[in-house]
């Protein structure tokens, strides 16, 4: 426990899928003026230096955000259409950087904090003893800090206590490290409990696609959880390569319960571009499925 540091994975293909989806969810939910409560159950450090430390060691951003940026620059020259959600995602990452040479990558807390309107609130959970201090320090620098609560607590246990939010409008990002294989079971229980208390909330779960029984079973488990509450869902996966062994993460997925009706269209435009931009061999592909309750 606690060997996971998200800085190793900042700006990876998995972050791109997660953060691009997240941006669209917030944008849709903010179309209505009512206050929105956003819970980020697994926050990490908030923002990451790509030029130094863990991120530099792993270099995962090279196969992620840097690769996407280069692909988009070259295709913009050839006038190929750029999906709206990719454009917005790149603008959001760029906004944290002084110029086109990206030196930092915002994690979900910074992406979400920047989108807060005065009526919105953000609740961040982080358990890692070092990450929580870095996260608190980073959040204090933000003008939106007063709208943000940071909890050094186990979010799987605490999530239900925050639901339903006072305005009954809420988005929950569940992005565990899956360092402990029990995380799969904790996640399912937390999701069931959350839906019992707040069935109309929007829940977005990220997961790695790895050769572990719990990982392969997770999408079907979440479909069952959504079906038990008569909830709609959207399931998407992005694979950047199919290669023997698991030296690095080759694919990941997002499962969204109560997705906005616009999400499928946005992802159907973005995913083929992400496969072309980030694909490393002909095993690169995407999946996009949904169910309307
Ligand atoms: N959501 C972040 C982003 O997109 O930038 C990345 C989060 S990272 C995948 C997962 C984080 O959850 C790690 O920093 C880990 O320390 C933290 N964590 C693990 N178990 C937790 C728990 N039960 N409650 C809260 N945080 C936890």
């Amino acid at each position: 426990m606690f060997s996971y540091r998200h800085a190793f994975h900042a700006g990876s293909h998995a972050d791109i899928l997660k953060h691009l989806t997240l941006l669209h969810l917030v944008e849709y939910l903010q179309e209505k003026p009512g206050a929105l409560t956003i819970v980020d159950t697994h926050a990490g450090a908030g923002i990451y230096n790509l030029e130094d430390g863990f991120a530099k060691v792993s270099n995962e951003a090279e196969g992620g955000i840097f690769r996407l940026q280069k692909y988009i620059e070259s295709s913009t020259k050839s006038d190929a259409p750029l999906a709206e959600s990719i454009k917005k995602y790149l603008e959001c990452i760029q906004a944290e950087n002084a110029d086109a040479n990206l030196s930092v990558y915002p994690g979900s807390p910074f992406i979400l904090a920047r989108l807060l309107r005065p009526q919105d609130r953000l609740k961040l959970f982080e358990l890692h003893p070092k990450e929580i201090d870095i996260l608190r320090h980073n959040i204090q620098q933000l003008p939106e800090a007063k709208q943000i609560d940071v909890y050094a607590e186990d979010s799987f246990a605490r999530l239900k206590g925050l639901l339903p939010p006072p305005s009954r409008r809420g988005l929950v990002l569940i992005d565990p490290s899956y360092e402990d294989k029990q995380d799969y079971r904790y996640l399912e229980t937390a999701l069931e409990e959350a839906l019992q208390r707040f069935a109309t909330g929007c829940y977005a779960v990220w997961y790695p696609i790895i050769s572990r029984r719990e990982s392969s079973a997770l999408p079907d488990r979440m479909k069952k959880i959504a079906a038990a509450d008569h909830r709609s869902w959207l399931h998407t996966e992005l694979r950047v390569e199919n290669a023997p062994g698991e030296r690095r993460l080759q694919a990941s997925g997002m499962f969204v319960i109560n997705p906005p009706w616009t999400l499928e269209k946005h992802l159907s435009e973005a995913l083929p571009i992400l496969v072309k931009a980030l694909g490393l061999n002909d095993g690169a592909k995407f999946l996009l499925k949904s169910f309307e309750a």
Side-chain angles (χ1 to χ4, degrees):
M1 188 65 175
F2 294 137
S3 59
Y4 183 96
R5 304 296 290 271
H6 193 69
F8 282 110
H9 312 290
S12 64
H13 60 84
D15 263 5
I16 294 177
L17 177 68
K18 172 178 48 182
H19 295 153
L20 181 139
T21 306
L22 189 61
L23 276 169
H24 183 70
L25 296 178
V26 177
E27 184 183 37
Y28 178 85
L29 289 166
Q30 287 181 333
E31 279 176 9
K32 289 196 179 141
L36 180 65
T37 297
I38 307 175
V39 184
D40 185 350
T41 59
H42 296 74
I47 190 161
Y48 305 94
N49 185 348
L50 295 175
E51 295 181 332
D52 206 359
F54 299 143
K56 192 70 191 162
V57 172
S58 67
N59 232 358
E60 288 196 20
E62 212 45 62
I65 183 68
F66 289 124
R67 202 178 164 91
L68 178 62
Q69 205 185 28
K70 277 185 212 127
Y71 178 87
I72 297 300
E73 273 165 21
S74 59
S75 57
T76 312
K77 281 181 206 133
S78 69
D79 281 341
L82 176 54
E84 193 58 22
S85 48
I86 296 187
K87 188 166 169 271
K88 287 190 174 151
Y89 164 75
L90 288 172
E91 282 167 4
C92 150
I93 307 305
Q94 187 65 64
E96 299 296 336
N97 288 274
D99 57 45
N101 297 323
L102 303 183
S103 57
V104 296
Y105 185 86
S108 50
F110 264 56
I111 292 176
L112 293 167
R114 300 295 195 194
L115 296 171
L116 295 175
R117 304 165 300 176
Q119 64 271 41
D120 300 332
R121 294 291 174 270
L122 175 59
K123 318 269 182 196
L124 304 172
F125 285 89
E126 177 52 52
L127 259 190
H128 194 291
K130 290 211 173 85
E131 296 290 77
I132 185 73
D133 288 345
I134 306 172
L135 177 67
R136 285 211 161 104
H137 172 81
N138 285 336
I139 293 296
Q140 275 161 16
Q141 319 297 316
L142 290 172
E144 300 84 3
K146 285 202 169 67
Q147 294 166 252
I148 305 173
D149 294 317
V150 182
Y151 305 93
E153 293 176 41
D154 175 4
S155 59
F156 287 130
R158 285 280 282 107
L159 176 61
K160 61 177 184 288
L162 293 180
L163 303 176
S167 64
R168 308 230 158 214
R169 303 193 63 246
L171 166 65
V172 180
L173 170 67
I174 308 182
D175 180 25
S177 48
Y178 301 94
E179 196 184 351
D180 176 354
K181 73 175 182 189
Q182 300 295 342
D183 276 0
Y184 294 89
R185 194 166 53 83
Y186 298 149
L187 157 67
E188 288 167 22
T189 307
L191 205 48
E192 281 167 339
E193 290 172 346
L195 279 167
Q196 272 166 22
R197 296 182 68 103
F198 182 38
T200 55
C202 178
Y203 298 88
V205 178
W206 178 88
Y207 64 94
I209 300 175
I210 49 175
S211 54
R212 183 181 249 187
R213 191 170 41 82
E214 293 81 357
S215 163
S216 327
L218 188 61
D220 281 346
R221 293 281 311 128
M222 290 192 285
K223 284 174 198 167
K224 283 198 182 116
I225 291 170
D229 269 287
H230 312 288
R231 297 286 119 203
S232 301
W233 53 258
L234 179 145
H235 177 206
T236 186
E237 292 182 351
L238 174 65
R239 170 170 292 282
V240 298
E241 65 178 322
N242 198 357
E246 291 196 319
R247 273 184 311 114
R248 56 186 176 204
L249 185 67
Q250 300 181 13
S252 72
M254 287 291 286
F255 192 85
V256 183
I257 297 182
N258 296 322
W261 65 274
T262 48
L263 181 60
E264 187 156 12
K265 180 175 175 288
H266 274 258
L267 288 176
S268 70
E269 289 165 3
L271 286 163
I273 300 176
L274 293 181
V275 167
K276 274 197 209 141
L278 304 175
L280 298 174
N281 65 21
D282 57 12
K285 60 179 183 180
F286 69 88
L287 172 146
L288 184 57
K289 284 189 179 159
S290 64
F291 169 79
E292 206 167 323

